Amino acid sequence: MERRKERKKQGDSTQRGNEHCADCSADAVYNRGMRPIFEWKLRSRSLRLGERTLIMGVINVTPDSFSDGGEFLDCGLAVEHALELLEEGADILDVGGESTRPGKKDPVSVEEEKRRVLPVIEGILRQAPKAIVSIDTYKAETAGAALAAGTEIVNDVSGFSWDEGMLVLLAAQHCGCVLMHTRGHPEEWPNQPPLQQDEVVPKVLRELQRLSDRAVGGGIARERIVLDPGFGFGKRLDENFPVLACFGELHRLGFPLLSGTSRKSFIGKAATGSRTLSAPLAGTLATVTAAILQGAHIVRVHDVRPALEAAKVADTILHAQKNCPSSA
């Protein structure tokens, strides 16, 4: 399985942004047909971000996921699926053991979550030792166990706001981390007051800034952090589109960006007019392309092969922008 070679270290991590792009505004970056370049430091290696879009493949080891309905709850099936995603071109495998679907009320215990995910992580790395595995959890104990099992990245949908121990763990473990913006807990989302369209992006920017400041202040090195605006996480259906339309504005925060729109219900509503729990593939690929053209470094998807094909085309368009007359 093809894995990408590790590259040279990013420059001064104390600067906002990086040595390649002091001004990461949309006009400064995309008129040159490039994204800001980062070297994302993981637990035992690093990933070059920005030269092409990286694909994070989703493995839900849950009985109640909105997207795959427990299809990979069995450990053997989950490992087999993960290996298939690697063959299809996934750069990162994101393993999760608890659904965070809207309206969910019953949390999964730490012990149950570890029982679900650890055998899958171990099985993946036994058969594909060079695979880059991420653990999708907001629980510090689960994250610590997954790191001990060989994961490189912690993907915390709460931005370490649901477990105070997570910040301490991430600072001590020196692993890669994805910090997501979320607005409240899943059981609160259906009853949250709506946001005006012009409120959404400033709110996400402001709160991601707060999260990243807290992370760096708590001892997590800047070069270990990726930010995710949290599509669908505490955002009503139409509230997600301003975030996608203005995704490039998130570069002002000076971190690599991840977009996770795959199969989200806001896409299904726009594509079909039906408020379904999942979205058609074509709609997902439209959002993947839109995010890449606004500079997403990583896209988190369930359908790796078609997303990779879309990403290759979008990357080609992105790089071709340097030839646009307006960039002269």
PDB file of all heavy atoms in Angstrom, residues 101-113:
ATOM      1  N   ARG A 101     -24.210  11.538  16.392  1.00  0.00           N
ATOM      2  CA  ARG A 101     -25.297  11.985  15.536  1.00  0.00           C
ATOM      3  C   ARG A 101     -26.165  13.001  16.288  1.00  0.00           C
ATOM      4  O   ARG A 101     -26.262  12.951  17.523  1.00  0.00           O
ATOM      5  CB  ARG A 101     -26.149  10.796  15.084  1.00  0.00           C
ATOM      6  CG  ARG A 101     -26.950  10.161  16.183  1.00  0.00           C
ATOM      7  CD  ARG A 101     -27.622   8.866  15.741  1.00  0.00           C
ATOM      8  NE  ARG A 101     -28.552   8.369  16.749  1.00  0.00           N
ATOM      9  CZ  ARG A 101     -28.194   7.723  17.838  1.00  0.00           C
ATOM     10  NH1 ARG A 101     -26.908   7.489  18.070  1.00  0.00           N
ATOM     11  NH2 ARG A 101     -29.115   7.315  18.696  1.00  0.00           N
ATOM     12  N   PRO A 102     -26.813  13.917  15.587  1.00  0.00           N
ATOM     13  CA  PRO A 102     -27.672  14.910  16.240  1.00  0.00           C
ATOM     14  C   PRO A 102     -28.755  14.262  17.097  1.00  0.00           C
ATOM     15  O   PRO A 102     -29.381  13.273  16.705  1.00  0.00           O
ATOM     16  CB  PRO A 102     -28.293  15.659  15.051  1.00  0.00           C
ATOM     17  CG  PRO A 102     -27.312  15.488  13.947  1.00  0.00           C
ATOM     18  CD  PRO A 102     -26.734  14.118  14.136  1.00  0.00           C
ATOM     19  N   GLY A 103     -28.939  14.812  18.298  1.00  0.00           N
ATOM     20  CA  GLY A 103     -29.975  14.322  19.190  1.00  0.00           C
ATOM     21  C   GLY A 103     -29.566  13.140  20.047  1.00  0.00           C
ATOM     22  O   GLY A 103     -30.322  12.700  20.909  1.00  0.00           O
ATOM     23  N   LYS A 104     -28.331  12.619  19.853  1.00  0.00           N
ATOM     24  CA  LYS A 104     -27.890  11.470  20.638  1.00  0.00           C
ATOM     25  C   LYS A 104     -27.822  11.839  22.113  1.00  0.00           C
ATOM     26  O   LYS A 104     -27.310  12.891  22.487  1.00  0.00           O
ATOM     27  CB  LYS A 104     -26.516  11.007  20.151  1.00  0.00           C
ATOM     28  CG  LYS A 104     -25.995   9.780  20.881  1.00  0.00           C
ATOM     29  CD  LYS A 104     -24.643   9.364  20.323  1.00  0.00           C
ATOM     30  CE  LYS A 104     -24.138   8.106  21.003  1.00  0.00           C
ATOM     31  NZ  LYS A 104     -23.877   8.324  22.435  1.00  0.00           N
ATOM     32  N   LYS A 105     -28.304  10.944  22.994  1.00  0.00           N
ATOM     33  CA  LYS A 105     -28.381  11.263  24.416  1.00  0.00           C
ATOM     34  C   LYS A 105     -27.530  10.360  25.292  1.00  0.00           C
ATOM     35  O   LYS A 105     -27.064  10.780  26.340  1.00  0.00           O
ATOM     36  CB  LYS A 105     -29.840  11.187  24.886  1.00  0.00           C
ATOM     37  CG  LYS A 105     -30.741  12.230  24.245  1.00  0.00           C
ATOM     38  CD  LYS A 105     -32.160  12.133  24.769  1.00  0.00           C
ATOM     39  CE  LYS A 105     -33.036  13.202  24.132  1.00  0.00           C
ATOM     40  NZ  LYS A 105     -34.443  13.136  24.620  1.00  0.00           N
ATOM     41  N   ASP A 106     -27.377   9.112  24.917  1.00  0.00           N
ATOM     42  CA  ASP A 106     -26.710   8.149  25.788  1.00  0.00           C
ATOM     43  C   ASP A 106     -25.232   8.019  25.430  1.00  0.00           C
ATOM     44  O   ASP A 106     -24.889   7.490  24.367  1.00  0.00           O
ATOM     45  CB  ASP A 106     -27.385   6.784  25.679  1.00  0.00           C
ATOM     46  CG  ASP A 106     -28.838   6.833  26.117  1.00  0.00           C
ATOM     47  OD1 ASP A 106     -29.129   7.580  27.059  1.00  0.00           O
ATOM     48  OD2 ASP A 106     -29.667   6.129  25.499  1.00  0.00           O
ATOM     49  N   PRO A 107     -24.334   8.506  26.287  1.00  0.00           N
ATOM     50  CA  PRO A 107     -22.904   8.380  25.983  1.00  0.00           C
ATOM     51  C   PRO A 107     -22.433   6.939  26.092  1.00  0.00           C
ATOM     52  O   PRO A 107     -23.011   6.123  26.816  1.00  0.00           O
ATOM     53  CB  PRO A 107     -22.242   9.254  27.053  1.00  0.00           C
ATOM     54  CG  PRO A 107     -23.209   9.261  28.193  1.00  0.00           C
ATOM     55  CD  PRO A 107     -24.575   9.185  27.575  1.00  0.00           C
ATOM     56  N   VAL A 108     -21.389   6.628  25.370  1.00  0.00           N
ATOM     57  CA  VAL A 108     -20.756   5.319  25.443  1.00  0.00           C
ATOM     58  C   VAL A 108     -19.682   5.376  26.520  1.00  0.00           C
ATOM     59  O   VAL A 108     -18.908   6.343  26.588  1.00  0.00           O
ATOM     60  CB  VAL A 108     -20.140   4.943  24.077  1.00  0.00           C
ATOM     61  CG1 VAL A 108     -19.327   3.654  24.173  1.00  0.00           C
ATOM     62  CG2 VAL A 108     -21.235   4.814  23.026  1.00  0.00           C
ATOM     63  N   SER A 109     -19.620   4.375  27.369  1.00  0.00           N
ATOM     64  CA  SER A 109     -18.617   4.361  28.436  1.00  0.00           C
ATOM     65  C   SER A 109     -17.216   4.240  27.853  1.00  0.00           C
ATOM     66  O   SER A 109     -17.028   3.757  26.729  1.00  0.00           O
ATOM     67  CB  SER A 109     -18.874   3.207  29.398  1.00  0.00           C
ATOM     68  OG  SER A 109     -18.579   1.975  28.766  1.00  0.00           O
ATOM     69  N   VAL A 110     -16.236   4.658  28.633  1.00  0.00           N
ATOM     70  CA  VAL A 110     -14.847   4.540  28.205  1.00  0.00           C
ATOM     71  C   VAL A 110     -14.500   3.082  27.930  1.00  0.00           C
ATOM     72  O   VAL A 110     -13.857   2.757  26.922  1.00  0.00           O
ATOM     73  CB  VAL A 110     -13.898   5.139  29.262  1.00  0.00           C
ATOM     74  CG1 VAL A 110     -12.449   4.797  28.934  1.00  0.00           C
ATOM     75  CG2 VAL A 110     -14.069   6.648  29.355  1.00  0.00           C
ATOM     76  N   GLU A 111     -14.917   2.195  28.820  1.00  0.00           N
ATOM     77  CA  GLU A 111     -14.572   0.787  28.656  1.00  0.00           C
ATOM     78  C   GLU A 111     -15.185   0.206  27.387  1.00  0.00           C
ATOM     79  O   GLU A 111     -14.535  -0.545  26.660  1.00  0.00           O
ATOM     80  CB  GLU A 111     -15.016  -0.010  29.889  1.00  0.00           C
ATOM     81  CG  GLU A 111     -14.199   0.286  31.137  1.00  0.00           C
ATOM     82  CD  GLU A 111     -12.703   0.130  30.906  1.00  0.00           C
ATOM     83  OE1 GLU A 111     -12.299  -0.881  30.285  1.00  0.00           O
ATOM     84  OE2 GLU A 111     -11.940   1.007  31.341  1.00  0.00           O
ATOM     85  N   GLU A 112     -16.438   0.566  27.102  1.00  0.00           N
ATOM     86  CA  GLU A 112     -17.077   0.067  25.885  1.00  0.00           C
ATOM     87  C   GLU A 112     -16.416   0.652  24.647  1.00  0.00           C
ATOM     88  O   GLU A 112     -16.195  -0.045  23.638  1.00  0.00           O
ATOM     89  CB  GLU A 112     -18.564   0.398  25.898  1.00  0.00           C
ATOM     90  CG  GLU A 112     -19.311   0.047  24.622  1.00  0.00           C
ATOM     91  CD  GLU A 112     -19.284  -1.426  24.265  1.00  0.00           C
ATOM     92  OE1 GLU A 112     -18.981  -2.274  25.147  1.00  0.00           O
ATOM     93  OE2 GLU A 112     -19.567  -1.753  23.099  1.00  0.00           O
ATOM     94  N   GLU A 113     -16.081   1.929  24.702  1.00  0.00           N
ATOM     95  CA  GLU A 113     -15.434   2.556  23.554  1.00  0.00           C
ATOM     96  C   GLU A 113     -14.084   1.892  23.275  1.00  0.00           C
ATOM     97  O   GLU A 113     -13.763   1.591  22.118  1.00  0.00           O
ATOM     98  CB  GLU A 113     -15.265   4.051  23.803  1.00  0.00           C
ATOM     99  CG  GLU A 113     -14.765   4.823  22.592  1.00  0.00           C
ATOM    100  CD  GLU A 113     -14.642   6.307  22.865  1.00  0.00           C
ATOM    101  OE1 GLU A 113     -14.252   6.677  23.991  1.00  0.00           O
ATOM    102  OE2 GLU A 113     -14.927   7.098  21.944  1.00  0.00           O
TER     103      GLU A 113
END
